[in-house]
Amino acid sequence: MTVLQVGNVRFGYAGDTLFENVTFSVGAGDRAALVAPNGAGKSTLLRIIAHEIEPDAGMSVIRKEATVGYYRQSHEVRAEGDVLSAFLAGFCDVLARRTALSEAQHAAASGSKEDLDALVRAEDAYHLVRGDALEREVSMLAQKLGFSEQDLARPVASLSGGERGRLTLGTILAKKADLLLLDEPTNHLDLDTIAWLESYLTAYKGALVIVSHDRAFLDNVSNQTLELGTRGLRVYPLSLSLIHI
């Protein structure tokens, strides 16, 4: 099933064409490595796909109702709340009920029947949206990205730049989107975490378009290659190592 269709896209700055005649499609299970020299417009093309900027010509169409997860090199989560809340940011209903549960737990310290009854209702509401199960899933994902159980309670504002980068990646992976756009996802990751990310993405059910300077990572993850040039884009149904770009 096709998730993304890009047709005859052209884009440039101040009258100078950066790329044109860009046409390709990506389906569920496709893991496409987007490659080109520095400055050729890989990140710009991802922004067009994500509908953050409009192309000068052509179109980028994502299947109706498909969800999108977009990891940008410069994107960071808001420095608000704790780490676990940030991981749950893509699940608004769960996060709202988690906040309500926390407030009910504090209020229940009064011991009043009214507050204790409110706590029971808040717990039931949280279980109803599978909040506890989602917390366990997210906690496991966080650990794979280098966060300990204790880290989940840390304020996001206390994290280093590298930790925020890993947190941002985690919030996007947690959504299990139909289409993942990953721009240099191995930044801030050590070798063990990169190896885990490779296996995670290889097993991913959705569609992926990945930009990375790490050729070994692209070789291990991708099953097709998109070579971007000024005059168009070539599609190879092979990983990067097999076509010797």
Side-chain angles (χ1 to χ4, degrees):
M1 179 185 296
T2 299
V3 179
L4 168 68
Q5 182 74 52
V6 176
N8 295 315
V9 163
R10 184 179 77 241
F11 187 84
Y13 295 101
D16 293 328
T17 299
L18 186 61
F19 49 75
E20 62 183 350
N21 300 321
V22 173
T23 297
F24 66 94
S25 63
V26 180
D30 290 339
R31 301 182 301 278
L34 177 59
V35 300
N38 288 340
K42 299 185 295 294
S43 295
T44 300
L45 182 55
L46 287 186
R47 293 185 66 195
I48 290 172
I49 292 170
H51 299 164
E52 286 194 348
I53 57 177
E54 292 292 325
D56 298 329
M59 64 176 186
S60 171
V61 179
I62 297 171
R63 179 172 54 82
K64 187 178 180 181
E65 299 180 358
T67 54
V68 180
Y70 180 18
Y71 179 80
R72 309 161 182 80
Q73 292 188 57
S74 58
H75 181 76
E76 286 193 357
V77 292
R78 292 183 178 181
E80 301 173 359
D82 59 27
V83 170
L84 180 56
S85 295
F87 268 105
L88 294 171
F91 305 90
C92 297
D93 193 23
V94 172
L95 189 58
R97 298 197 186 196
R98 179 175 180 263
T99 300
L101 176 58
S102 178
E103 293 172 351
Q105 288 170 334
H106 283 96
S110 68
S112 73
K113 184 178 185 305
E114 181 180 356
D115 289 336
L116 291 173
D117 288 343
L119 175 59
V120 171
R121 290 194 297 272
E123 289 174 338
D124 289 343
Y126 194 58
H127 295 324
L128 189 63
V129 295
R130 295 186 66 253
D132 43 359
L134 183 59
E135 276 198 37
R136 287 193 295 272
E137 291 178 15
V138 165
S139 295
M140 292 176 62
L141 176 62
Q143 290 175 25
K144 296 296 185 180
L145 289 168
F147 293 95
S148 67
E149 194 70 30
Q150 292 72 30
D151 286 333
L152 296 178
R154 287 175 58 189
V156 173
S158 73
L159 300 182
S160 67
E163 287 172 326
R164 290 194 190 193
R166 288 187 280 115
L167 175 58
T168 301
L169 178 60
T171 63
I172 291 162
L173 296 180
K175 296 177 185 178
K176 298 181 180 177
D178 299 306
L179 173 63
L180 277 180
L181 307 174
L182 303 180
D183 195 354
E184 298 293 348
T186 60
N187 287 352
H188 313 299
L189 304 185
D190 59 24
L191 292 177
D192 288 341
T193 309
I194 291 173
W196 168 81
L197 182 61
E198 288 176 357
S199 61
Y200 181 90
L201 295 178
T202 300
Y204 206 77
K205 303 294 186 184
L208 280 73
V209 180
I210 311 166
V211 172
S212 178
H213 286 94
D214 187 336
R215 291 181 65 96
F217 173 76
L218 291 180
D219 285 344
N220 292 332
V221 169
S222 64
N223 57 17
Q224 65 176 256
T225 301
L226 310 175
E227 183 187 12
L228 180 64
T230 57
R231 299 302 179 188
L233 180 141
R234 292 183 178 180
V235 179
Y236 301 91
L238 303 165
S239 64
L240 186 60
S241 62
L242 296 177
I243 55 178
H244 307 295
I245 292 177

